[in-house]
Amino acid sequence: GCKMLTNIGNVLRAGAQRTGAAALVSARTYSDFTTQATFEIKKCDVYKLDEAPATQVVMTRDEGLQYYRTMQTMRRMELKADQLYKQKIIRGFCHLYDGQEACAVGIEASINLTDHLITAYRAHGYTYTRGGTVKEIMAELTGRRGGIAKGKGGSMHMYCKHFYGGNGIVGAQVPLGAGVALACKYLGKNELCVALYGDGAANQGQIFETYNMAALWKLPAIFICENNRYGMGTSVERAAASTDYYKRGEFIPGLRVDGMDVLCVREATKLAAEHCRSGKGPILMELQTYRYHGHSMSDPGVSYRTRDEIQEVRGKSDPISMLKDRMLSNNMASVEELKEIDVEVRKEIEDATLFATTDPEPPLEDLCNHIFHNSPPTEVRGIHPWSKLKSVS
């Protein structure tokens, strides 16, 4: 299950414990650091919007450290998942999020944990930012009892409070997200729902049907296309007649954002969230991002793009390196301090991996549990499939 975390202002609320001040800094005190700085960020392209997100933004040292730790945790977690998959410890489907960390962290920095989020099957990062622990996520990947969905969901189906999980059906999470947004409006709680989908899913008919209903009913929904440039082995140019995903809501305003810059994503999401909360209805965002791995584990990811392209993105616009450079060049942190965070993150991943590889698998009797939300219906012949299951292992 998930821990409900306290709301620390606009600082990212992540599963990791906040140890900004605990890091060891050799021969320097914290008072030497710049506590906040202003950054120039890329301009967003806007569609049917009167205002655009700011291009000058302030980030505090604490926020920077928090974003850095969260992105680093997500990155290391995915690299570990890749390793465990190759050792056949993780089986089945597995879609990795490395390269796209700035999207999740930027979005979460601008919404509350009481807001709602639903995504596609590239879901590990969001499970973490929504409050899942590395331990629960890794154990879910290896199908163990201590996993966030008790080992029954695996990579594509993780859930926790206000997080409606990954969805294995391409595009299906978008209408579900609109349903959650409808609930937000119906209950009058001033909450919103973020529904994420990829550039491949953007061509699904159900997404356009959802746009239509969301616009008619003025639902507080932020539709976010994480455009990582390739569907399952197909570049966006070959898959979409219009690759301006942020304009494809037609009657819904849109924003196109640099999805590799956590501050760009944060500013754009801030504007989108205000738009929804002020009753103006849905808004669309396109985050231009990149995935370092293949589409899934069965895709080496180099037949339809070059290794050079991947290396170039890593070299020029890696979300973690970009944040690190900003912090160091503005005297917001020291190299030693960030290294210390890296060490702590590595240890957290190693501990989680140990748990995920030693925790027992759920017993066979558990197969049919958790089907009903509360108590199962009355005794009728044949409706309790688990009454005749016996585990022999």
Side-chain angles (χ1 to χ4, degrees):
C2 278
K3 320 280 171 287
M4 271 308 288
L5 302 168
T6 48
N7 184 348
I8 11 179
N10 241 351
V11 179
L12 186 73
R13 294 134 330 247
Q17 66 282 37
R18 290 179 84 240
T19 44
L24 303 171
V25 182
S26 51
R28 286 179 73 177
T29 61
Y30 280 89
S31 55
D32 293 345
F33 290 122
T34 311
T35 51
Q36 62 174 49
T38 306
F39 299 91
E40 209 34 73
I41 57 171
K42 258 190 218 151
K43 197 168 152 295
C44 289
D45 298 315
V46 294
Y47 171 70
K48 291 197 172 174
L49 276 173
D50 301 331
E51 49 168 345
T55 52
Q56 278 207 318
V57 301
V58 173
M59 178 178 75
T60 67
R61 167 179 145 78
D62 282 349
E63 284 168 346
L65 288 172
Q66 190 61 43
Y67 302 158
Y68 181 80
R69 177 184 291 271
T70 307
M71 290 203 281
Q72 203 54 294
T73 304
M74 287 157 82
R75 172 75 50 94
R76 295 260 155 232
M77 188 165 72
E78 296 301 55
L79 295 177
K80 180 53 84 176
D82 180 56
Q83 199 184 326
L84 293 176
Y85 199 96
K86 288 175 175 142
Q87 296 169 352
K88 293 191 164 56
I89 293 168
I90 293 173
R91 315 294 289 261
F93 290 102
C94 187
H95 303 80
L96 302 178
Y97 198 69
D98 50 325
Q100 300 182 207
E101 295 90 352
C103 297
V105 175
I107 291 165
E108 292 281 20
S110 295
I111 63 170
N112 308 319
L113 261 187
T114 47
D115 288 318
H116 308 263
L117 192 141
I118 187 166
T119 185
Y121 38 70
R122 205 176 297 283
H124 312 160
Y126 288 101
T127 311
Y128 180 68
T129 59
R130 289 270 91 192
T133 64
V134 178
K135 206 167 153 180
E136 290 170 321
I137 295 166
M138 297 303 289
E140 190 54 48
L141 287 170
T142 56
R144 308 303 171 107
R145 243 185 257 188
I148 199 154
K150 301 187 174 10
K152 298 176 172 194
S155 169
M156 302 198 291
H157 306 290
M158 298 185 183
Y159 309 90
C160 60
K161 200 163 174 63
H162 305 292
F163 174 57
Y164 303 83
N167 194 309
I169 301 168
V170 177
Q173 69 281 7
V174 181
L176 295 178
V180 174
L182 176 61
C184 292
K185 184 169 182 170
Y186 182 77
L187 299 168
K189 282 180 157 173
N190 197 24
E191 291 166 1
L192 55 85
C193 182
V194 174
L196 297 123
Y197 55 98
D199 48 278
N203 304 316
Q204 274 274 336
Q206 55 185 331
I207 288 183
F208 295 91
E209 295 178 34
T210 305
Y211 290 165
N212 185 52
M213 291 170 98
L216 278 175
W217 298 345
K218 286 201 156 52
L219 299 182
I222 306 179
F223 297 119
I224 301 184
C225 175
E226 288 185 288
N227 175 5
N228 58 21
R229 295 182 21 198
Y230 298 94
M232 200 162 172
T234 312
S235 71
V236 289
E237 294 78 20
R238 289 178 58 212
S242 162
T243 56
D244 287 341
Y245 295 101
Y246 73 113
K247 291 181 180 172
R248 288 174 64 173
E250 196 182 339
F251 32 76
I252 296 176
L255 287 158
R256 181 163 57 190
V257 185
D258 177 2
M260 299 303 266
D261 180 348
V262 68
L263 295 180
C264 277
V265 179
R266 185 183 83 174
E267 283 314 298
T269 309
K270 209 175 271 181
L271 186 135
E274 278 164 18
H275 177 94
C276 283
R277 292 197 215 276
S278 63
K280 291 180 189 161
I283 187 165
L284 232 154
M285 283 170 66
E286 174 189 345
L287 305 181
Q288 294 186 304
T289 182
Y290 200 79
R291 56 171 162 79
Y292 292 161
H293 272 90
H295 169 77
S296 67
M297 301 308 284
S298 58
D299 166 29
V302 286
S303 57
Y304 49 85
R305 59 180 182 181
T306 61
R307 286 182 197 275
D308 293 345
E309 178 183 298
I310 305 170
Q311 282 317 109
E312 192 187 0
V313 175
R314 273 183 189 276
K316 284 189 182 155
S317 50
D318 181 77
I320 300 177
S321 314
M322 221 156 45
L323 176 67
K324 187 177 180 172
D325 294 346
R326 273 180 178 154
M327 292 190 74
L328 293 175
S329 58
N330 282 277
N331 187 35
M332 291 176 93
S334 67
V335 176
E336 298 81 13
E337 184 180 17
L338 296 178
K339 275 221 176 76
E340 191 64 38
I341 292 178
D342 296 348
V343 170
E344 286 169 20
V345 166
R346 272 215 183 88
K347 184 172 180 347
E348 188 181 5
I349 307 292
E350 284 312 319
D351 294 349
T353 305
L354 183 65
F355 176 72
T357 48
T358 53
D359 190 50
E361 290 183 356
L364 183 63
E365 295 84 78
D366 257 12
L367 182 64
C368 307
N369 291 340
H370 310 109
I371 291 173
F372 302 102
H373 167 60
N374 38 27
S375 51
T378 48
E379 275 299 332
V380 177
R381 188 181 61 193
I383 62 157
H384 284 303
W386 58 95
S387 56
K388 38 186 185 295
L389 289 175
K390 285 290 166 278
S391 181
V392 288
S393 59

